[in-house]
Amino acid sequence: MGRQRVDGQTCFVLHHHPYSETSLIIDVFSRDHGRLPLLARGARRPRSAMRGMLMAFQPLELGWFGGGEVRTLAKAEWLGGMPLLSGRCLMLGYYLNELLVKLLPREDAHAALFDTYFAALSALAQGGADAPELRRFEISLLRELGYGLTLDVDADSGEPVQTSADYAFVLERGPVQKVGAGDTALEQGLRGKTLIDMAADDYSDPRTRLESKILMRRLLAHHLGGQPLQARRVFMELQEL
Amino acid sequence: MIESLRCLPGVGPKSAQRMAYHLLQRDRRGAERLGQAITEALQHLRHCTQCNNFTEAEVCERCLSARRDHSLLCIVEMPIDLNSMEQTHAFSGLYYVLMGRLSPLDGIGPKELAFERLIQRATDGEVKEVILATNFTNEGEATAHYLSETLHARGLKVSRIARGLPVGGELEYTDAATVAQALLERRDYQ
């Protein structure tokens, strides 16, 4: 891998770790270069211009250089325009970041996913309805990762999903119409309407919101391969306080 | 010995070597004192049952002091933050040191930070107002938000330290994020 210089990239910091005495390693999601780790030299010095700027959930314009796995951050500018996340929305932001950190391979550009992530954070920052944003992001994540999520076509018959029928979602395949009650006892039941709504990006029906949440949770758990989501656990514990 | 000294922050192989030779050749008494001090601190140091800060007694001096206002409780992340608050000479209440902050991606939640202990301390009847002085990072904000919710629900007055331009600060030299936030959190002026 040759040395290269990249400038003017819109990025989000997903996570950060302290590195040596005064530096920071940031896990960055950039629009054109995907997710990559950057070394921010001296970013933890008391008077560093970058101190406090390399925050998650804020659009930044970053520039970096170097070859190898960890590039060096050269420049950081605050793009602004997005209010800081707070409260519950902040925890949902952590959830999005954890999904990206755990599922997105490094240095794989996903511009569409980046835009969905940007839109989801903007919506969270405005404090709007969060369920549609989260589902949209989750669906975009699975599609971009190449899991080919099919929602509105029956995986068995190849026919379009019907509003009034009940479906079971078979992992790695897609929705399959339930013939009789209880023949796929282990599968979570789904209305055809939920699948059609999800495909049409319409979350106005409360039952669609509930069923899509359960379906996406199951699909993500499958792709996470049993890794627990810390953000969800912490969120649940905080709800119990 | 050189290896052991390297566990200190900011000490690399070269300075570790210099320190080791200095202690052995020029200041053997100092080395002995240092060794004893470390051993004693490790043996006797524990967390104050009131403020969770490091202390040698069960309850630290600050928490026992009659001159401090026992109805005010200021929550900070780390002992070093407590020192910063003390340097202001502007606060005469008591503290609670969390010894961390919520960090969902690192798996640090209310259990890891022993929120239960803090809630017990804040609801012991003596405390009337809780001041949240966690950092203005995402993690500090998340911590403040959830502490505020849970303490509010228990009938306490909860406040958060203000954020904005530094004293003597000029707009021209202040970063955009701070100015933006200062604008959002502006307040009535009399």
Side-chain angles (χ1 to χ4, degrees):
Chain A
M1 210 183 296
R3 289 177 71 83
Q4 53 162 337
R5 204 180 166 93
V6 176
D7 249 335
Q9 274 292 310
T10 306
C11 297
F12 282 95
V13 173
L14 298 176
H15 196 31
H16 53 79
H17 306 277
Y19 180 76
S20 79
E21 232 355 62
T22 54
S23 301
L24 204 60
I25 295 216
I26 50 176
D27 198 339
V28 158
F29 183 28
S30 68
R31 192 168 191 284
D32 302 331
H33 297 260
R35 185 168 79 87
L36 71 164
L38 294 178
L39 170 64
R41 272 189 213 280
R44 281 161 64 228
R45 284 186 200 283
R47 305 248 170 257
S48 164
M50 284 180 195
R51 201 187 167 100
M53 195 202 285
L54 302 173
M55 261 172 99
F57 315 123
Q58 285 294 318
L60 302 170
E61 196 179 286
L62 304 183
W64 60 85
F65 61 87
E69 199 190 350
V70 182
R71 319 285 161 77
T72 305
L73 180 68
K75 212 167 79 179
E77 251 172 274
W78 184 272
L79 288 176
M82 198 187 282
L84 298 172
L85 295 188
S86 64
R88 186 184 128 85
C89 290
L90 186 51
M91 293 305 291
L92 296 176
Y94 280 119
Y95 166 72
L96 299 186
N97 282 9
E98 189 171 13
L99 284 180
L100 287 174
V101 168
K102 291 208 162 132
L103 288 172
L104 198 62
R106 280 182 173 173
E107 305 203 34
D108 222 358
H110 291 284
L113 179 62
F114 183 89
D115 294 339
T116 319
Y117 175 72
F118 204 146
L121 284 186
S122 307
L124 289 178
Q126 308 291 343
D130 45 48
E133 299 304 330
L134 294 184
R135 297 299 90 77
R136 222 166 270 153
F137 173 80
E138 291 163 345
I139 292 172
S140 171
L141 177 64
L142 292 186
R143 287 211 166 122
E144 284 279 319
L145 292 176
Y147 294 124
L149 184 63
T150 317
L151 291 168
D152 52 357
V153 178
D154 189 315
D156 266 353
S157 65
E159 298 287 319
V161 163
Q162 287 167 32
T163 320
S164 51
D166 277 334
Y167 288 83
F169 202 97
V170 185
L171 291 170
E172 311 280 352
R173 285 187 62 211
V176 174
Q177 189 171 353
K178 277 190 177 180
V179 198
D183 60 337
T184 45
L186 287 171
E187 295 292 343
Q188 182 75 45
L190 265 176
R191 290 178 315 161
K193 180 168 187 303
T194 298
L195 290 162
I196 292 170
D197 281 351
M198 284 173 78
D201 200 24
D202 172 9
Y203 294 92
S204 51
D205 182 344
R207 222 177 125 187
T208 297
R209 286 206 292 275
L210 180 70
E211 288 187 1
S212 61
K213 181 172 165 179
I214 295 169
L215 172 64
M216 291 316 291
R217 183 173 298 181
R218 196 172 134 242
L219 289 174
L220 287 168
H222 171 67
H223 292 299
L224 283 163
Q227 287 183 82
L229 284 174
Q230 303 282 6
R232 184 180 293 151
R233 176 184 65 86
V234 169
F235 186 58
M236 305 288 250
E237 285 176 12
L238 287 168
Q239 299 293 307
E240 288 163 16
L241 280 178
Chain B
M1 183 169 177
I2 295 173
E3 265 311 299
S4 319
L5 282 166
R6 284 190 58 186
C7 75
L8 290 168
V11 177
K14 204 91 185 164
S15 9
Q17 201 176 29
R18 228 180 58 229
M19 288 178 187
Y21 282 129
H22 175 83
L23 288 174
L24 292 173
Q25 289 176 329
R26 292 173 206 276
D27 196 359
R28 294 185 76 99
R29 294 255 327 263
E32 215 170 282
R33 273 207 308 275
L34 180 65
Q36 267 173 9
I38 293 177
T39 319
E40 271 174 31
L42 282 178
Q43 273 172 0
H44 302 301
L45 218 59
R46 49 179 167 172
H47 293 283
C48 168
T49 53
Q50 292 288 297
C51 69
N52 202 33
N53 201 359
F54 294 115
T55 173
E56 286 188 9
E58 186 168 334
V59 179
C60 73
E61 269 180 50
R62 193 176 288 117
C63 290
L64 288 172
S65 166
R67 281 198 300 204
R68 302 197 73 108
D69 185 347
H70 286 232
S71 69
L72 281 177
L73 186 71
C74 176
I75 301 177
V76 292
E77 289 180 11
M78 300 301 253
I80 192 107
D81 300 327
L82 187 155
N83 294 349
S84 303
M85 290 293 288
E86 278 297 275
Q87 274 168 17
T88 64
H89 299 288
F91 182 66
S92 62
L94 296 179
Y95 294 93
Y96 188 91
V97 185
L98 280 171
M99 296 288 169
R101 62 203 68 92
L102 288 178
S103 183
L105 262 65
D106 300 309
I108 299 185
K111 292 219 169 85
E112 286 74 12
L113 291 175
F115 268 21
E116 273 307 315
R117 264 189 71 194
L118 163 61
I119 293 169
Q120 263 177 25
R121 166 71 181 102
T123 52
D124 62 0
E126 225 178 3
V127 179
K128 299 281 177 280
E129 179 178 351
V130 174
I131 301 166
L132 298 168
T134 53
N135 290 330
F136 281 108
T137 55
N138 285 317
E139 284 81 5
E141 272 292 289
T143 312
H145 172 81
Y146 283 98
L147 284 179
S148 136
E149 283 208 332
T150 174
L151 294 173
H152 225 98
R154 286 165 172 80
L156 283 156
K157 182 180 175 198
V158 184
S159 56
R160 175 95 168 105
I161 52 169
R163 99 179 110 189
L165 264 70
V167 172
E170 296 162 76
L171 284 176
E172 186 184 352
Y173 299 105
T174 308
D175 65 283
T178 302
V179 179
Q181 205 59 33
L183 201 57
L184 268 173
E185 293 180 24
R186 70 185 183 277
R187 55 174 193 199
D188 293 337
Y189 192 68
Q190 278 124 25

